[in-house]
Amino acid sequence: RLLTIAAGKYQDDIRVELHAAALSRVSPPAYEALSYVWGTQDNRGSVEIVPTAPEQLGSALAITHNLQVALRHFRLEDRPRCMWVDAICIDQCNLQERGGQVAIMGDIFELATRVVVWLGPQDDTSNEACELLAAASEEVTSSGQPCTVRPKPGSKITAEQLHRSNWSPFDGCQSEAVYALLSRPWFERVWIRQEIGLASPTTIIACGKKTIPWLQFKEALLFICVKGSSLPLSRQKSWDLYYRCRDVLLPVATSSSSTNFSDLRQYISMARCADDRDKLYGMLSLLHPSGQALGIVPDYCKSVRDVYLDATSRWITSQASLDILRSCEFSDTSSVLNLPTWVLDLSLPPSSTQLENHGAHLWGDVHRNPPISLQMGSETLGVFGIRGASVRNVHCILASEKPSVTSTNAVQMVNNIRSSLPQDFRTASYMNEKSLLEAYCATLGAGRLFHEEDSSPEMIQAFLGSQSLPGLYGEVQDIMRHVFCSDSSESPATNSDYRALWDVFSVTAVDRVLFTTNEGHVGLAPHATASGDQVYTVLGCVNPLIFRPLGGDRFRLIGECYCHGLMASESILGQFP
């Protein structure tokens, strides 16, 4: 169903005709698809539906204020305009029609002549922000895997400037304008991932009367993802932009149909929608073929709980893999869905970033085709695992979900680490092998740090981006040795020491606890981990998991963990020589 917007001036009433069209890949109809935010239900407007046959009656359809403003902007004065707009072209009260249309939503945007993105009306700084981003895209070229930028030939920007952590492409007022534009709610919509990811190269971004080609805007987004931390903003806005770049802007700029189902929770961690079912349905067209093969059909007659339970069960049984458990976690403040802890709950954002994949390259055939027993009646998942350790003590390192980088927070994090260290930290060995210092360094970095002997400068640069962080194992150990092992009266730790440890450890330690085990291990685990929980290596899952015994052979999954000395399936294969 497409709509034709009748020609008219900005303030004229909005009149549209609706007509059915066959969505064919061989000969698709000519139309533009609108990507926008519905907005609030306050100050609602309406459009007049013009009858297309004598026996039909005209009617008025209520729409949100933001959509009304968008249609006024996109209506042409001299000729009609054919578009697809979900709020008008789908009968939102008909759940069966809604499900059927959502199932082909990817095709609707992919086959559109072009997608028109509506960021919202113009404000005092939006035109300037659009011009700045367009100008930036003319100077640099970007790539998203990993996110890097480099100057275009003849650019005014040099490679040396791009690599300087304190160089900003914008001044203070310009940075505020760009920050305001990129904080608009369109970027957070879960649906835009597929709307923009499947759109044609002719797609445009519109803010008020200002428009930018999507390909230019995409270059600018990747540029901001790399250099955003250098913009002269307030400390809180800088930190907010960092998370927005990581969790919102980068996924939008790099949307493609290759998202693994098991990674969905991380991928849409900051995405929003009015209906939690859409956190799955809105991503179906962007799933890797293995996810699209699950046969999930949008059905709004199902509850959110049933949708998530069915999707996770399909994935586990079809893939013969339990790696999805790395994205599942238990929390005392879990959603009202009351799901089994092995089910992927997309209604809640993950409390922390997913750990690196540590074991796949070492396990060989050990975790392929693991024994799995799925009993849907009791909603129980049966797995095979080997217990590696029992949690003895837990210590909070960084509880805030999104901590801001301040000297106070950095010092507090370091003090929390210091209070968790054993008295013999300076001299003790770990598991009768390397030093305890090295074990804590590896654990707090959760395996993200590089060993100098097997790391190229390119690997380190790809990991660090444009940030000047210590990325080598030895460098971080030296800082930890200075902060935790040196005589504070002779060589006191400096703010730069605290900041360096913050930059490395805050990424992995946020909302996790540092734990020790009865067997002598040290590790990082989800915040809900408690004394008595157990570390298991589960066949089919590349990283260890924390489980809570419930009696008999029943357990509650708490989440994935990093346990130093158990990351290469030592629970099953034994210690490597």
Side-chain angles (χ1 to χ4, degrees):
R1 194 182 289 138
L2 298 174
L3 67 87
T4 300
I5 309 173
K9 296 185 180 299
Y10 184 85
Q11 293 298 338
D12 292 346
D13 291 340
I14 303 172
R15 303 173 71 246
V16 304
E17 291 182 0
L18 292 174
H19 60 279
L23 193 62
S24 167
R25 288 187 173 272
V26 177
S27 181
Y31 65 94
E32 297 170 295
L34 181 63
S35 176
Y36 71 108
V37 175
W38 277 33
T40 68
Q41 300 299 316
D42 300 333
N43 194 22
R44 287 168 66 84
S46 66
V47 296
E48 179 186 348
I49 309 295
V50 179
T52 56
E55 67 275 10
Q56 294 178 340
L57 298 176
S59 61
L61 178 68
I63 58 175
T64 63
H65 176 70
N66 188 51
L67 177 55
Q68 184 184 51
V69 173
L71 293 178
R72 290 189 185 280
H73 274 80
F74 294 132
R75 176 172 54 185
L76 304 174
E77 291 190 6
D78 58 345
R79 61 189 185 278
R81 189 170 191 172
C82 184
M83 301 191 77
W84 185 89
V85 180
D86 61 348
I88 301 175
C89 295
I90 299 176
D91 183 352
Q92 299 293 331
C93 296
N94 185 329
L95 296 184
Q96 186 174 2
E97 176 179 320
R98 184 177 162 197
Q101 290 291 294
V102 165
I104 61 171
M105 195 83 80
D107 292 337
I108 291 172
F109 279 86
E110 184 179 3
L111 297 177
T113 306
R114 72 173 178 179
V115 173
V116 179
V117 173
W118 173 246
L119 295 184
Q122 174 185 334
D123 62 22
D124 292 340
T125 63
S126 60
N127 279 356
E128 180 186 19
C130 290
E131 291 168 0
L132 289 167
L133 293 174
S137 71
E138 296 293 335
E139 301 293 331
V140 298
T141 182
S142 312
S143 64
Q145 301 295 335
C147 188
T148 57
V149 296
R150 62 182 184 278
K152 288 182 177 178
S155 173
K156 302 172 189 174
I157 298 174
T158 67
E160 186 271 335
Q161 287 175 317
L162 289 176
H163 285 92
R164 272 170 42 203
S165 60
N166 62 348
W167 178 80
S168 171
F170 310 129
D171 63 26
C173 292
Q174 293 172 334
S175 297
E176 291 286 349
V178 170
Y179 174 83
L181 183 72
L182 299 183
S183 297
R184 293 199 175 209
W186 177 83
F187 295 96
E188 299 172 4
R189 267 187 78 232
V190 69
W191 285 103
I192 70 163
R193 308 293 174 89
Q194 75 167 4
E195 292 170 1
I196 203 70
L198 300 174
S200 74
T202 59
T203 293
I204 61 169
I205 309 293
C207 184
K209 292 293 185 181
K210 200 77 172 177
T211 62
I212 308 177
W214 162 244
L215 294 181
Q216 276 190 283
F217 197 77
K218 176 181 176 179
E219 290 272 22
L221 282 184
L222 293 171
F223 180 49
I224 295 299
C225 287
V226 172
K227 295 302 297 181
S229 59
S230 67
L231 300 187
L233 296 166
S234 69
R235 181 176 292 154
Q236 188 56 49
K237 286 183 178 179
S238 292
W239 206 237
D240 178 66
L241 183 59
Y242 164 78
Y243 284 113
R244 179 164 283 265
C245 286
R246 186 191 73 181
D247 299 331
V248 178
L249 302 183
L250 186 58
V252 169
T254 58
S255 292
S256 64
S257 54
S258 60
T259 304
N260 284 321
F261 176 80
S262 58
D263 295 333
L264 267 186
R265 195 159 177 245
Q266 292 286 335
Y267 186 71
I268 62 168
S269 62
M270 292 288 290
R272 299 184 181 186
C273 56
D275 188 326
D276 281 332
R277 288 168 291 198
D278 288 337
K279 289 189 174 179
L280 174 61
Y281 295 160
M283 290 296 299
L284 289 179
S285 296
L286 289 185
L287 289 179
H288 184 274
S290 60
Q292 295 189 22
L294 297 179
I296 298 172
V297 177
D299 183 354
Y300 288 93
C301 295
K302 282 185 176 182
S303 68
V304 179
R305 187 180 191 278
D306 287 345
V307 168
Y308 291 172
L309 184 61
D310 174 66
T312 305
S313 302
R314 287 171 181 260
W315 175 259
I316 291 175
T317 54
S318 69
Q319 296 299 303
S321 168
L322 293 171
D323 237 17
I324 194 172
L325 299 182
R326 297 174 56 209
S327 297
C328 303
E329 62 184 352
F330 170 77
S331 171
D332 293 332
T333 58
S334 292
S335 70
V336 296
L337 300 179
N338 192 30
L339 285 163
T341 52
W342 55 267
V343 173
L344 193 65
D345 186 354
L346 299 176
S347 69
L348 293 175
S351 60
S352 52
T353 58
Q354 194 172 64
L355 298 175
E356 297 290 325
N357 179 332
H358 287 278
H361 66 293
L362 293 171
W363 286 21
D365 292 330
V366 171
H367 74 126
R368 294 178 184 171
N369 298 314
I372 297 173
S373 170
L374 187 57
Q375 301 174 21
M376 293 304 295
S378 60
E379 298 181 348
T380 301
L381 175 67
V383 302
F384 181 86
I386 302 294
R387 187 176 70 83
S390 297
V391 176
R392 182 176 183 179
N393 295 312
V394 296
H395 305 273
C396 178
I397 302 300
L398 200 58
S400 175
E401 180 184 342
K402 287 188 176 179
S404 57
V405 54
T406 66
S407 57
T408 301
N409 284 345
V411 171
Q412 183 62 54
M413 185 196 76
V414 170
N415 286 338
N416 288 343
I417 295 173
R418 180 179 284 112
S419 66
S420 71
L421 300 177
Q423 292 183 346
D424 59 351
F425 173 75
R426 300 186 185 191
T427 58
S429 61
Y430 182 75
M431 308 290 288
N432 297 319
E433 293 185 358
K434 298 182 179 179
S435 71
L436 201 56
L437 169 66
E438 184 173 350
Y440 272 84
C441 180
T443 298
L444 290 165
R448 298 172 69 246
L449 303 177
F450 292 96
H451 287 273
E452 189 167 9
E453 61 271 18
D454 56 14
S455 302
S456 67
E458 291 76 16
M459 287 175 59
I460 298 171
Q461 182 61 38
F463 167 70
L464 298 177
S466 63
Q467 304 176 72
S468 299
L469 310 182
L472 290 175
Y473 206 53
E475 292 178 6
V476 180
Q477 278 196 75
D478 289 343
I479 297 172
M480 287 188 68
R481 187 176 290 106
H482 181 219
V483 172
F484 298 119
C485 301
S486 300
D487 188 329
S488 59
S489 60
E490 295 181 4
S491 179
T494 64
N495 285 336
S496 62
D497 292 329
Y498 293 138
R499 175 60 188 267
L501 293 182
W502 170 278
D503 286 336
V504 175
F505 296 151
S506 64
V507 177
T508 50
V510 61
D511 216 29
R512 287 192 172 101
V513 293
L514 187 68
F515 70 88
T516 56
T517 72
N518 293 326
E519 293 77 8
H521 300 90
V522 60
L524 275 180
H527 197 263
T529 303
S531 176
D533 289 344
Q534 298 177 353
V535 182
Y536 270 83
T537 295
V538 172
L539 291 187
C541 186
V542 297
N543 284 347
L545 301 170
I546 298 285
F547 286 93
R548 182 164 299 161
L550 298 178
D553 59 353
R554 296 179 62 85
F555 295 82
R556 173 176 290 142
L557 173 64
I558 305 300
E560 95 172 313
C561 72
Y562 180 96
C563 189
H564 196 61
L566 294 179
M567 300 307 296
S569 75
E570 288 91 340
S571 298
I572 298 175
L573 303 176
Q575 293 294 324
F576 285 90

